[in-house]
Amino acid sequence: MAYSSRSSRRAALLAGGVAVLGLLTACGNDGAHSGPQKVSGTAGPAAETVKDPAPSSPSAGAATPGGSKSASAPAAATSSKAGTGTGTGTGSKTSAGGRCHTSELRASVGRNNPGAGQENFPVVLTNKSARTCTLHGYPGAAFVNASGGQVGPDPKRSSGSPVTVTLKPGQSAWAGLTFSNPEVSGANTATPAALLVTPPDERDQLKVAWTAGPVPVSGNSSSAFLSVFSPGTGA
C-alpha cells in the first residue's frame, strides 16, 4: 500500500508537470501568434504609403487618352507666354518717356492774336500716338509756296528757357510764331501756301496750310521769331 501511494503521488506530480508544460507551451504559442499580427499590422500602412504615388501616375495616364490632358498643359503655357507677349507688346505702345517723333504728332496753326504791331500765331503740336512722349526746346519752321520753295528766311529763335513738355495721347504743346505787321514795318511780303514745322530733334517735317495772308520776307523788320514750347494750345 505504501508503494502504491508513492506511485500515485509520482503520477500526480508528473501529470501536474505535464499540465504546467502544456500551459507554458500554449502561452508560448499565443505569443508566437501575437508577434506576426503586430508585424502584419505595421506592414499594412507602409505598403499604403508606397502606393500613394502610384494612383497619381495611373490617374494622369487615364486622364490623357488621346493626349487630351497632355495637350492642355502646353496650351496653358502658351497662353501664359502669349499674355506676357501681349503685355510686353501692349506695354511697349503705351509706355512713357522719349521724345515725340514727327510721325506721332499733328501740327496746326492757331488763331492770330495781334498786338503792338505784331502778329502772333501759336504753332501747335498734338500727340496723336498711343504713348506718352516729350517735347523740349524750339520747333523748326519755314514758309513755302505752292511749289514747295521756301518763302523768306527761316524764323529766328527768341530768347527763352526751354522746358520739357510731357504730352499724353491727345495733349498739345505750342510755340509762338511772331513777326511784325508788314503794313506797319513796310517790309516786302509774300503769301505762302504752307508752313513746314519740324519737331525738336527731328528731321521730318509736318505741313500745315497757311491761310493768314502775307508774311514779311525781306526789308525792314522782316524777321519772324519762334519761342520755346509750352504746354497747351496757346489759345
Side-chain angles (χ1 to χ4, degrees), residues 108-128:
S108 60
V109 176
R111 186 174 58 186
N112 184 20
N113 183 24
Q118 298 289 316
E119 309 299 323
N120 305 295
F121 296 89
V123 177
V124 182
L125 293 182
T126 301
N127 182 5
K128 66 177 184 178

Side-chain angles (χ1 to χ4, degrees), residues 74-87:
T78 302
S79 174
S80 175
K81 289 180 181 178
T84 302
T86 303

